[in-house]
Amino acid sequence: MANEDIAVTKFREYLRVKTEHPTPDYVGCQRYLFNLADELGIARRAVEACSFPSKFNAIPGKPFIIMTIPGSQPELKSVVLYSHTDVVPAVKDQWKYDPYSAHKDEHGNIYGRGAQDMKSVGSQYFEAIRRHFQRGKKQWPRTIHIVWAPDEELGGVDGMQKFVKMEEFRDLKLGFMLDEGLASETSSFKQSFINSALSFREEQRLLLKNDSTKRLGDVITLNITKVEGGVQVNVVPDSFTILLDVRTPPTADLNEMEKRIASWCTKAGAGVTYEFIRKSEITAVTPTTSDDPFWSAFEKSLKEEKCSFDKEIFPGSTDSRFVREVHKLCFIGLVDRISNCRLFLYGFNMHLFIFIWLLS
């Protein structure tokens, strides 16, 4: 578009690729990303995750796109710029504009599913590289891999969880990576369990509110995201299922949390049980002390650029947890923050003020 920064144009093109679950257009996404890499002459390839150790069990149609800029000292550990390409569903009638139109309003806000989580980050990686190329810098001491992954929004089961066990992942020589984090028989049983869960949620909220040093990633978050049961309004259901999204910081005692959930079920009454749909017990954290060479270099760069920053634990679970689990010697940096910007995450009317995005 006339007078529009190429970074903005490419970002909007990326938002228009509909990678929404349950039927993400990964074919169209691969085509877009390959064309993007070709613009700068960056080597690119697609790798489909497979069930370890057999390469014959590849997950079809769910590619990792890997762009590689070889370093002048290839023996050094590499830097990986990671983002995922998939997005959660968007309910169109709740949006001011089509969530896949990448509409830019008169204020410079760009609307689109993925505008914050997390197509903006992938675009920032690439456009930062583009600017360096335009200035004549096309190589660094370390090899840089820009990795675009599928299925993070589904928990990474057919994505990063399998990819980290593959030879193609080991070949990256990763050193540092940037990334973005119940049955019941009666309604009274259901209400008892819900009350217990919400009481705990309130305790955690107050811990966060009353301690200015804490961030969201320092407390346990709990949200009731789905309640199922019944067939019609005038028939008493024989069972209910309550789905909770519980996210624990690596400092939390996971055994104690599970005991707490079990106690809620016991309190609610006989026949109330729980099970985990997905359970992660990965507690490895990123080193952020001066003796870590990767963090030290990263922090030094931030200070040189006069960037204001705080260290905190990302309150969501991202694909990086799989990398931390299997790559014990790898140092992972988590960066997915755009300053002075209203946070939307999975909300409708997700948008990004483009002036802030270009400065970030």
Side-chain angles (χ1 to χ4, degrees), residues 148-181:
W148 316 72
D151 274 23
E152 191 275 346
E153 296 292 3
L154 296 183
V157 176
D158 287 336
M160 185 61 85
Q161 188 172 11
K162 289 184 171 63
F163 183 57
V164 294
K165 300 175 183 177
M166 295 173 59
E167 182 179 351
E168 287 84 351
F169 174 80
R170 293 190 292 274
D171 288 344
L172 296 178
K173 294 178 61 177
L174 174 61
F176 185 74
M177 186 172 91
L178 300 184
D179 182 20
E180 13 168 28

Side-chain angles (χ1 to χ4, degrees), residues 20-315:
E20 173 183 301
H21 289 294
T23 55
D25 181 12
Y26 286 141
V27 172
C29 187
Q30 177 175 326
R31 184 185 310 115
Y32 169 78
L33 293 174
F34 272 23
N35 289 338
L36 201 62
D38 292 346
E39 290 179 10
L40 300 186
I42 296 175
R44 78 300 193 270
R45 59 196 170 108
V47 175
E48 291 184 332
C50 67
S51 299
F52 183 77
S54 173
K55 289 189 176 182
F56 299 103
N57 293 329
I59 308 299
K62 297 186 178 184
F64 281 77
I65 308 302
I66 303 173
M67 303 177 184
T68 299
I69 305 170
S72 59
Q73 300 179 49
E75 70 277 7
L76 297 176
K77 295 286 188 178
S78 72
V79 172
V80 170
L81 307 179
Y82 169 87
S83 66
H84 62 83
T85 56
D86 58 322
V87 298
V88 297
V91 182
K92 279 191 174 183
D93 60 9
Q94 294 182 336
W95 287 66
K96 292 171 63 176
Y97 309 101
D98 184 332
Y100 295 100
S101 67
H103 176 85
K104 183 168 69 172
D105 68 15
E106 66 274 16
H107 304 295
N109 295 310
I110 294 178
Y111 288 77
R113 175 59 86 210
Q116 292 188 22
D117 183 10
M118 72 172 294
K119 289 184 175 180
S120 57
V121 177
S123 293
Q124 283 178 310
Y125 293 151
F126 191 86
E127 295 307 323
I129 295 293
R130 184 196 299 275
R131 291 186 180 185
H132 280 296
F133 273 37
Q134 290 173 340
R135 296 166 186 156
K137 186 172 182 61
K138 298 185 178 182
Q139 190 176 49
W140 290 263
R142 296 180 186 274
T143 293
I144 296 175
H145 301 288
I146 312 174
V147 177
W148 316 72
D151 274 23
E152 191 275 346
E153 296 292 3
L154 296 183
V157 176
D158 287 336
M160 185 61 85
Q161 188 172 11
K162 289 184 171 63
F163 183 57
V164 294
K165 300 175 183 177
M166 295 173 59
E167 182 179 351
E168 287 84 351
F169 174 80
R170 293 190 292 274
D171 288 344
L172 296 178
K173 294 178 61 177
L174 174 61
F176 185 74
M177 186 172 91
L178 300 184
D179 182 20
E180 13 168 28
L182 305 165
S184 175
E185 293 185 354
T186 71
S187 61
S188 61
F189 287 177
K190 172 176 70 74
Q191 192 59 47
S192 173
F193 184 91
I194 290 176
N195 287 344
S196 296
L198 292 182
S199 293
F200 175 76
R201 185 180 191 273
E202 179 64 10
E203 291 174 11
Q204 296 296 302
R205 188 189 71 82
L206 291 176
L207 282 176
L208 182 63
K209 178 183 178 181
N210 296 331
D211 187 342
S212 61
T213 66
K214 290 189 181 297
R215 299 290 186 270
L216 189 58
D218 296 319
V219 299
I220 299 173
T221 62
L222 180 151
N223 288 288
I224 297 173
T225 55
K226 196 172 184 180
V227 178
E228 299 175 323
V231 291
Q232 62 187 50
V233 69
N234 61 338
V235 178
V236 177
D238 61 353
S239 66
F240 273 101
T241 299
I242 302 170
L243 302 185
L244 304 180
D245 183 321
V246 182
R247 307 195 179 199
T248 58
T251 53
D253 187 323
L254 300 182
N255 290 328
E256 285 300 315
M257 187 64 213
E258 184 168 354
K259 288 178 182 177
R260 185 184 295 271
I261 294 172
S263 72
W264 297 343
C265 292
T266 300
K267 179 182 177 182
V272 179
T273 61
Y274 73 93
E275 62 179 289
F276 290 97
I277 298 174
R278 186 165 59 246
K279 182 180 181 182
S280 175
E281 299 184 79
I282 303 168
T283 57
V285 296
T286 301
T288 56
T289 53
S290 58
D291 59 340
D292 178 76
F294 291 101
W295 171 257
S296 179
F298 187 55
E299 184 178 43
K300 180 174 179 288
S301 296
L302 290 174
K303 290 179 177 178
E304 288 175 351
E305 294 295 326
K306 296 181 172 56
C307 294
S308 175
F309 66 94
D310 293 311
K311 293 183 286 186
E312 63 179 280
I313 296 172
F314 183 68

Side-chain angles (χ1 to χ4, degrees), residues 124 128 131 307 337-341 352-360:
Q124 283 178 310
R131 291 186 180 185
C307 294
R337 300 306 294 263
I338 300 170
S339 60
N340 300 310
C341 183
L352 195 58
F353 181 34
I354 204 60
F355 179 71
I356 291 176
W357 183 72
L358 287 171
L359 291 178
S360 297

